[in-house]
Amino acid sequence: MTDTTPTAVVGAAAVDLSAVEQRTIASTGNLFVAEAFRQIDPDAVCAYPITPQTTIVEEFAKFVANGRVHTEYVTVESEHSAMSATIGASAAGGRAFTVTSSQGLALMWEELHIASGLRLPIVMINANRAISAPINIHGDHSDVMGARDSGWIILMAENAQEAYDNTIIATRVAEAARLPVMPTLDGFITTHSIARGQVADDATVKAFVGEYVPDDSLLRSTSPVMVGAFANLGPTYMKVKKAERDAIDASLPIIGEVGAQWASVIGRDYGHVESYGVDDADLVVVIMGSAAGNVRAVVRRLREQGQRVGVVKVRTYRPFPAADLAAAVSGARAIAVLDRAESFGAPAGPLALDTLAALYGAGIQVPVRSYLYGLGGADVRLDLVEQVYADLADVADDGDGLLNPTPRYLGIR
Amino acid sequence: MPENNTGVQGAQGASGASAAPGARPCIPTTTIPVDFRDATARFGDWDVADFPVGMAGVAGNSVDYVTGGWRSMRPVWDADKCKHCLLCWVNCPDSSITVADEQMTGIDYDHCKGCGICAVECRFDALDMRPEHECHDEPVLDAAAEPEITQGA
């Protein structure tokens, strides 16, 4: 019987814990990510600039130009080519990264499925931004939700620190799960605001991610492989897709294990969901990304007033940590799910749909309210969040249905 | 299932504490490439875990892979007219003009797509493009004998 526990799958982190040094810096989220890229020193970065991720590739280009990394930096003429080149570099056997946002991620759509279908361990940062039209360069999750079903592991950062940590975690998750990983951070709020955070020393990061040795590659001269074969008629295609489903399901404990290993190195926990005040909470908000801090601030204030409220932030979005989320909200009398992206025509926002499925699977039947907030970078004011908890209090007391018929737009009448 | 495809879970790489420092961790399925040229392989009978990660295959090549079946027109070579200038060989995009000792020997119909470039380039009318069906013994479909398709009841 082969051991398939996460530790066996992931392997141990080869970090000398006694030599770990962290320094506290103030920087934008994008520069935190660029710093992680520099420390990981991938074999290839194939990228095209797009607001609000541009400063990541700009800063990394400086590292390349100044000889601080060994990376082959491939400039391309579009995101379609960026992902194509990244796929080529990964299939050839390199540790290949890219970065994108919004329309760029949309332009990559067909390659996203090829990257995951070929099971290439690519890491791509996405700076979450609205999708046209109308044109808008600010932060929401519309772009990520367009890539939601493409077979990528998706990690959602709340702040610059998480964006940095997730980039390092993603590198090992991708290679252990043999799946592409998309760590994301919210456009402008996280990418461009200067935040305080800790950066580990180069040797620690290099030891943690280790040397990448691909299982197979186009350029392995002794036994090269063919990549992108035709899955003929009959069940072959469906079997390969089932293997992909099994792989992304199996990646959830891998993400947890790598997150736990990184936590043991730098002392910051990684959980698929992060709960605040939920233990005794009647009213719980579920949210992802930068606005989680706003909700936490409101929860703190309301709890000081004696209200039993809490918030659950989802960090691992794909694969969806349904059991973790259901456990976190199991005591709630009413739940609000705040989505920063539309799923036009769906019964609720995308995160709300996932939450509903998680609750159903756990046999939890409480009223859920789906909200849309912060589209195109619209402000997530604290009084709006307070309004959500006030709404939830009414819902918990008066019922009025298990789910609102269409998502409520927060702050918009 | 072929013998070289074990489908063993976690067959490769490090495991737990025995991992070499910095070793690439193993993955939870087989990484042995499959030989898609194996005519005896019955992929329909394989289990999900039998397929290599990402369906990576043993590297194939364009010699073994016969692609001439796309052709609707074929170049027919007249060796008596041929002066062996090899303009056709130079221009053929599929390397389908066969040559030995600097002399043209024929056409590789396993790979010729019937594009006709060779016939256009030939200065000596030694290559003639003919409809593919005229080059086979099989009868051409008689359209008149086909049943008529009707719409509605």
Side-chain angles (χ1 to χ4, degrees), chain A residues 2 4 7-12 14 117-119 175-178 207 210-216 220 224-226 229-231 235-236 239-240 242-243 246 250, chain B residues 8-12 14-17 19-29 31 33-34 36 43-48 51 53-60:
Chain A
T2 313
T4 54
T7 314
V9 173
V10 171
L118 295 178
R119 305 284 304 279
E175 289 158 18
R178 273 293 296 265
E211 184 82 16
Y212 174 50
V213 181
D215 298 295
D216 48 46
R220 186 174 61 184
V225 294
M226 169 173 60
F230 183 57
T236 302
K239 286 178 181 177
V240 174
K242 176 65 166 69
D246 291 348
Chain B
V8 171
Q9 299 286 305
Q12 290 200 356
S15 62
R24 160 74 177 73
C26 72
I27 55 170
T29 184
T31 59
V34 57
F36 292 103
F43 301 125
D45 296 337
W46 285 22
D47 290 333
V48 168
F51 287 92
V53 174
M55 223 177 106
V58 171

Side-chain angles (χ1 to χ4, degrees), chain A residues 99-405:
Chain A
V99 189
T100 195
S101 181
S102 184
Q103 310 300 123
L105 182 61
L107 188 55
M108 284 179 181
W109 192 80
E110 62 170 334
E111 280 76 22
L112 296 179
H113 292 256
I114 292 168
S116 58
L118 295 178
R119 305 284 304 279
L120 298 174
I122 292 166
V123 173
M124 172 172 69
I125 306 297
N126 191 69
N128 305 328
R129 172 188 141 181
I131 290 273
S132 294
I135 192 166
N136 180 302
I137 60 168
H138 289 279
D140 72 25
H141 301 158
S142 305
D143 49 0
V144 180
M145 291 304 160
R148 179 188 61 180
D149 300 336
S150 63
W152 284 59
I153 293 168
I154 300 175
L155 309 177
M156 304 288 282
E158 178 189 335
N159 49 40
Q161 182 71 73
E162 288 185 5
Y164 171 82
D165 291 339
N166 286 356
T167 304
I168 293 163
I169 291 168
T171 306
R172 288 196 52 214
V173 167
E175 289 158 18
R178 273 293 296 265
L179 282 171
V181 184
M182 190 188 314
T184 81
L185 64 168
D186 285 356
F188 287 102
I189 298 291
T190 311
T191 59
H192 283 62
S193 301
I194 291 184
R196 184 177 176 276
Q198 289 188 306
V199 174
D201 62 290
D202 291 1
T204 292
V205 176
K206 283 188 191 341
F208 187 81
V209 297
E211 184 82 16
Y212 174 50
V213 181
D215 298 295
D216 48 46
S217 80
L218 292 171
L219 297 183
R220 186 174 61 184
S221 57
T222 49
S223 51
V225 294
M226 169 173 60
V227 169
F230 183 57
N232 214 333
L233 293 173
T236 302
Y237 178 88
M238 198 160 166
K239 286 178 181 177
V240 174
K241 286 291 144 186
K242 176 65 166 69
E244 202 180 326
R245 156 57 84 162
D246 291 348
I248 197 161
D249 285 350
S251 74
L252 193 68
I254 292 174
I255 299 162
E257 173 63 22
V258 176
Q261 288 184 11
W262 184 238
S264 74
V265 172
I266 44 82
R268 289 183 293 274
D269 268 340
Y270 183 98
H272 299 304
V273 301
E274 185 184 286
S275 303
Y276 181 71
V278 297
D279 287 347
D280 64 347
D282 294 326
L283 315 176
V284 173
V285 163
V286 178
I287 194 165
M288 295 193 294
S290 58
N294 302 35
V295 181
R296 219 160 36 236
V298 169
V299 166
R300 190 177 299 124
R301 187 187 301 176
L302 295 178
R303 289 186 72 86
E304 282 167 7
Q305 297 168 8
Q307 297 193 37
R308 286 151 60 138
V309 296
V311 55
V312 178
K313 178 181 80 183
V314 175
R315 289 184 70 179
T316 307
Y317 181 57
R318 284 290 181 270
F320 194 71
D324 293 46
L325 179 63
V329 302
S330 60
R333 290 173 56 218
I335 296 166
V337 186
L338 272 55
D339 267 290
R340 204 162 194 163
E342 257 291 11
S343 176
F344 289 113
L351 180 60
L353 294 175
D354 290 319
T355 304
L356 288 164
L359 295 175
Y360 189 88
I364 299 170
Q365 195 177 48
V366 293
V368 172
R369 292 294 176 269
S370 171
Y371 288 84
L372 269 286
Y373 76 96
L375 298 186
D379 278 343
V380 192
R381 300 194 315 269
L382 301 188
D383 64 291
L384 293 175
V385 180
E386 286 173 359
Q387 186 58 51
V388 170
Y389 282 106
D391 292 350
L392 274 189
D394 292 342
V395 168
D397 291 341
D398 302 337
D400 195 28
L402 284 168
L403 180 68
N404 44 341

